Amino acid sequence: MKRIDLYITRQLGLSLIAVTVGLAALVWLTQSLRFIELVLDRGLSIWVFLELTGLLLPSFFGVILPITAFVVTLFTYVRLSSDRELVVMRAAGLSNWQLSRPALFVASCAMAICFVLNIWITPASHEAFREWQFEIRNQMAGLLLQEGVFSSVGDDLTVYARDRARDGTLSGILVHDTRERGAPVTILAETGRITSSPQGPRVTLYNGQRQQVERTVAPDGTVTQRLSVLSFRENSLDLARASRSEGARFRNAQERNLSELFHPEEGVSARDRGRFLAEAHQRLSGPVTAISFALLALAVSLSGQFRRFGGGANLFVGCVLMVGLLALGLGIGNLAARQKVLLPLIWAHALLPGMISAWVISGMPGLPSQLRGFAR
């Protein structure tokens, strides 16, 4: 018995590792394309790019592991059936549940890994990713200016430099600043230098002009505009995108731990509280789907009768059921984030497929023999 369990477990374990790593690499590749402009246009090194996008991997593994547990279980057992190995094992007296032990063991390992990822590792990595991304886009934006390019620092600040030396010295500078509503400012300077400060990057400009359009409204409603020009020898400009009044960055549901999701701080809107609760329940119920999906694969591959020409029908049925469950899970998650009364549906989606599959693996007890034969 132990040799049979080890034989199947080895195939499932190796397949699970290979498929999970492959799918995670594929998802990482598609998602990292969103940040490739930081390397091409912003001048970040490839190592910073890899470290930044690598922080997304724990969340990928947490989502992919239950799916790959289903995939490897279904394909492994269908292959064993096609090679007549399951026929020999059943002839040796093994029941469906005895044949299912290796798959349930591998799925339990996947569930344990998902719990560790969802509860501790993924929130921490996602928070580090968001902090780094925020710093790059808001605080380091001025350090990433490219020569000969109109660089947008947010939506209200545009900087152009004709040349940039290796030591950071800029020449031929144009800055268009619309952060002060109703009073846009255009600054022209011969040279400048970028420096870092605790509040963000600043550029010190030398020998230039500051042009500002001042808009005034007379008592009779007449609007007049006047161009104000100021020449300077030295001027300092803050390039930090975030304004001082914005305060701390708001942390979304993915980067909060369970305690913060169930008990958010004061001032969080009712809409965000709903999202937090849905995220907490999904984070706890998600790993359970590794067992449920494995049981579903076992029910599809073990409950059908032996077919001489393979199990293509079983593969098709299993894939259709899996796609339907994944689509249903996405819909339930979105609805539960809006309506708290629908939160139990998250757990129903995680548990019911496994319970029904376990009933099918057990031979569908309680079902009349006629209907049982038709179901098979």
Side-chain angles (χ1 to χ4, degrees):
M1 297 291 186
K2 292 184 179 179
R3 287 187 176 182
I4 293 177
D5 289 347
L6 289 175
Y7 171 69
I8 301 177
T9 301
R10 182 170 60 251
Q11 295 186 54
L12 290 170
L14 293 176
S15 300
L16 182 68
I17 294 174
V19 175
T20 301
V21 172
L23 284 179
L26 179 62
V27 175
W28 173 82
L29 181 62
T30 57
Q31 293 297 314
S32 61
L33 293 177
R34 299 181 301 165
F35 307 101
I36 196 67
E37 69 165 321
L38 295 177
V39 177
L40 300 179
D41 299 336
R42 298 291 188 174
L44 286 183
S45 67
I46 189 64
W47 297 113
V48 174
F49 167 76
L50 292 176
E51 291 177 9
L52 179 65
T53 55
L55 292 173
L56 298 174
L57 284 176
S59 61
F60 298 161
F61 282 112
V63 174
I64 290 173
L65 266 174
I67 301 174
T68 54
F70 166 83
V71 171
V72 300
T73 301
L74 179 63
F75 279 80
T76 299
Y77 276 83
V78 167
R79 186 191 60 79
L80 291 174
S81 178
S82 301
D83 294 343
R84 281 71 167 176
E85 295 182 67
L86 288 184
V87 176
V88 176
M89 295 177 189
R90 284 189 170 120
L94 295 181
S95 65
N96 282 347
W97 282 113
Q98 288 174 318
L99 293 173
S100 301
R101 285 184 306 193
L104 293 178
F105 172 76
V106 173
S108 298
C109 294
M111 180 181 67
I113 294 174
C114 286
F115 269 120
V116 175
L117 289 171
N118 288 0
I119 295 177
W120 292 290
I121 299 179
T122 299
S125 65
H126 197 85
E127 182 178 13
F129 169 79
R130 286 287 302 266
E131 289 286 352
W132 202 348
Q133 184 185 39
F134 181 83
E135 180 181 357
I136 289 175
R137 290 183 174 178
N138 297 282
Q139 304 301 326
M140 294 177 60
L143 303 178
L144 304 176
L145 299 178
Q146 300 296 300
E147 62 180 20
V149 176
F150 287 90
S151 302
S152 296
V153 184
D155 298 328
D156 45 19
L157 187 64
T158 302
V159 182
Y160 172 86
R162 184 180 64 249
D163 298 304
R164 179 173 183 173
R166 292 186 177 182
D167 60 356
T169 301
L170 307 175
S171 60
I173 305 170
L174 182 148
V175 179
H176 186 65
D177 187 357
T178 60
R179 287 179 289 187
E180 184 178 348
R181 300 305 176 188
V185 176
T186 300
I187 301 176
L188 303 173
E190 294 181 2
T191 59
R193 178 180 292 275
I194 296 176
T195 58
S196 298
S197 68
Q199 292 77 27
R202 302 184 66 88
V203 57
T204 302
L205 305 173
Y206 303 98
N207 301 325
Q209 286 186 345
R210 183 180 187 274
Q211 303 175 3
Q212 182 175 14
V213 177
E214 298 179 351
R215 183 173 180 269
T216 58
V217 181
D220 58 355
T222 304
V223 178
T224 58
Q225 293 183 341
R226 184 172 63 90
L227 177 63
S228 175
V229 180
L230 174 66
S231 298
F232 61 86
R233 286 191 174 182
E234 181 177 335
N235 188 18
S236 181
L237 178 67
D238 183 9
L239 293 183
R241 176 181 172 185
S243 66
R244 303 296 178 262
S245 61
E246 289 182 0
R249 179 182 64 85
F250 181 77
R251 296 162 60 236
N252 61 21
Q254 287 75 25
E255 53 187 316
R256 294 173 180 258
N257 56 41
L258 286 178
S259 177
E260 293 174 314
L261 292 176
F262 282 115
H263 307 287
E265 67 274 10
E266 295 293 334
V268 176
S269 65
R271 183 178 181 181
D272 287 327
R273 288 178 182 272
R275 292 176 178 174
F276 290 174
L277 281 177
E279 173 67 21
H281 286 278
Q282 286 180 316
R283 197 176 292 179
L284 292 174
S285 64
V288 181
T289 58
I291 298 290
S292 292
F293 292 167
L295 286 171
L296 175 62
L298 290 169
V300 172
S301 58
L302 295 179
S303 61
Q305 297 180 353
F306 169 74
R307 291 178 175 84
R308 180 176 299 179
F309 300 103
N314 290 350
L315 292 176
F316 176 76
V317 171
C319 293
V320 169
L321 291 175
M322 187 62 188
V323 171
L325 283 176
L326 293 177
L328 182 63
L330 292 176
I332 289 175
N334 292 330
L335 291 175
R338 302 174 185 175
Q339 300 290 335
K340 294 181 181 180
V341 295
L342 299 179
L343 288 175
L345 292 180
I346 296 178
W347 289 97
H349 172 264
L351 297 174
L352 277 181
M355 297 171 63
I356 297 175
S357 300
W359 175 69
V360 172
I361 294 172
S362 300
M364 294 175 282
L367 193 68
S369 57
Q370 295 84 357
L371 295 177
R372 194 180 308 171
F374 175 78
R376 291 182 177 181

